């Protein structure tokens, strides 16, 4: 999964939560960010999930 963000925003962390995984407990995701693009891997998607990006 990837997304494009304004180059002035830096992502400091990304969290993932889903009622389908880990009992709904959020987990930190690894990601890369370069030239305004953020790339991450969603560990599981069955029905829905929430992804939170924390910006610096």
């Amino acid at each position: 999964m990837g997304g494009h963000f304004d180059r002035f925003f830096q992502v400091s962390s990304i969290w993932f939560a889903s009622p389908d995984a880990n009992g709904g407990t959020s987990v930190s995701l690894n990601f890369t960010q370069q030239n305004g693009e953020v790339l991450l891997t969603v560990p599981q998607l069955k029905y829905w999930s929430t992804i939170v990006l924390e910006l610096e």
Side-chain angles (χ1 to χ4, degrees):
M1 175 180 213
H4 187 79
F5 298 91
D6 189 312
R7 291 177 191 222
F8 296 107
F9 292 106
Q10 290 293 320
V11 177
S12 60
S13 62
I14 299 179
W15 298 90
F16 168 85
S18 173
D20 305 318
N22 302 318
T25 303
S26 62
V27 294
S28 180
L29 296 182
N30 294 324
F31 67 95
T32 59
Q33 182 173 8
Q34 185 176 9
N35 298 321
E37 185 172 271
V38 176
L39 298 174
L40 61 104
T41 299
V42 175
Q44 177 180 344
L45 180 60
K46 187 172 181 180
Y47 295 107
W48 63 270
S49 299
T50 300
I51 299 172
V52 177
L53 282 73
E54 293 184 22
L55 305 178
E56 292 182 358

